[in-house]
Amino acid sequence: HCASKRPSHPHPKAKRRMYNRAHCDNGIDSPCMFSFLAGSKGTTARPSAIASTLLPFIVENTGWQPGTDMDAGFARKGGLIGTGTGATLTLLFRNVTRPVRRFDVVSLRSTSHVWNEGAAKFVLVTGGDFSHGKEAAEASSKHAREVSFEISAELNAEVSNGEDQHVSYHFGLDLDYAETNESVGKDLL
């Protein structure tokens, strides 16, 4: 996650490691406030592990469930699956203890007709107080920052040998550095 904050000109490896440690990672704690990677080689290989990882942070879930799919080959494809139009999943991270500088998502895109016109919308709200009631949330909304984006589920590619293609799609978003420091001690929704 820290690569995007590194200078764009090349450095020797030693300098890159120093920059990474000084600005993103102390070598002990993960540079990520929260992360999980679903799948057989990820941190959450089974649907039950996905559920237990997300459960402490879920404040609303209407239509998303952890699952796996082995239809696309021998490798187990795990993740969150939207069960219908308008599915919503809201996660709340209370009292963030360090700046959130980047938001990364890996989604699956497919040529399958089931995925046509499908999309996932992401909304990230920083700098608010969402865990101390409606009054605190309304007061903090004046200072909160919201960023949103949408990722299409449809993959525009040729179908080879009559079989659908499924690919992982990475989307990363760098957040404004000045604003991320203001989010410390506040909630992230």
Side-chain angles (χ1 to χ4, degrees):
H1 295 345
C2 297
S4 62
K5 294 296 178 188
R6 290 183 187 147
S8 59
H9 57 349
H11 287 295
K13 287 182 181 180
K15 284 187 179 180
R16 268 190 252 151
R17 278 194 296 269
M18 284 177 40
Y19 186 88
N20 187 36
R21 285 191 190 114
H23 294 283
C24 300
D25 185 2
N26 64 11
I28 298 169
D29 300 316
S30 168
C32 300
M33 182 192 82
F34 174 79
S35 66
F36 81 96
L37 180 60
S40 59
K41 302 285 185 189
T43 58
T44 55
R46 303 249 180 245
S48 59
I50 296 169
S52 64
T53 299
L54 294 176
L55 191 60
F57 307 104
I58 294 175
V59 293
E60 178 186 6
N61 184 0
T62 55
W64 285 93
Q65 64 184 25
T68 59
D69 180 6
M70 293 187 59
D71 292 342
F74 67 91
R76 181 181 305 273
K77 308 275 191 287
L80 290 170
I81 301 166
T83 59
T85 303
T88 300
L89 176 67
T90 304
L91 305 177
L92 173 62
F93 300 92
R94 301 179 198 299
N95 192 24
V96 174
T97 59
R98 58 185 175 182
V100 177
R101 295 187 178 106
R102 185 160 171 89
F103 182 72
D104 286 281
V105 173
V106 178
S107 65
L108 192 62
R109 296 174 88 177
S110 176
T111 57
S112 170
H113 74 284
V114 176
W115 297 62
N116 289 354
E117 299 181 24
K121 182 177 181 179
F122 295 85
V123 180
L124 181 67
V125 183
T126 59
D129 182 357
F130 308 106
S131 55
H132 293 101
K134 186 177 179 181
E135 192 173 298
E138 287 176 4
S140 69
S141 69
K142 297 171 190 163
H143 306 288
R145 304 277 193 258
E146 181 177 306
V147 177
S148 64
F149 59 92
E150 188 171 286
I151 297 176
S152 172
E154 186 175 0
L155 176 64
N156 294 315
E158 294 290 322
V159 176
S160 61
N161 300 328
E163 294 184 21
D164 288 318
Q165 293 183 36
H166 311 279
V167 298
S168 296
Y169 176 76
H170 172 254
F171 181 85
L173 178 68
D174 287 323
L175 303 175
D176 184 289
Y177 184 77
E179 291 177 10
T180 63
N181 287 328
E182 294 173 11
S183 64
V184 174
K186 306 222 170 68
D187 296 337
L188 176 69
L189 185 63

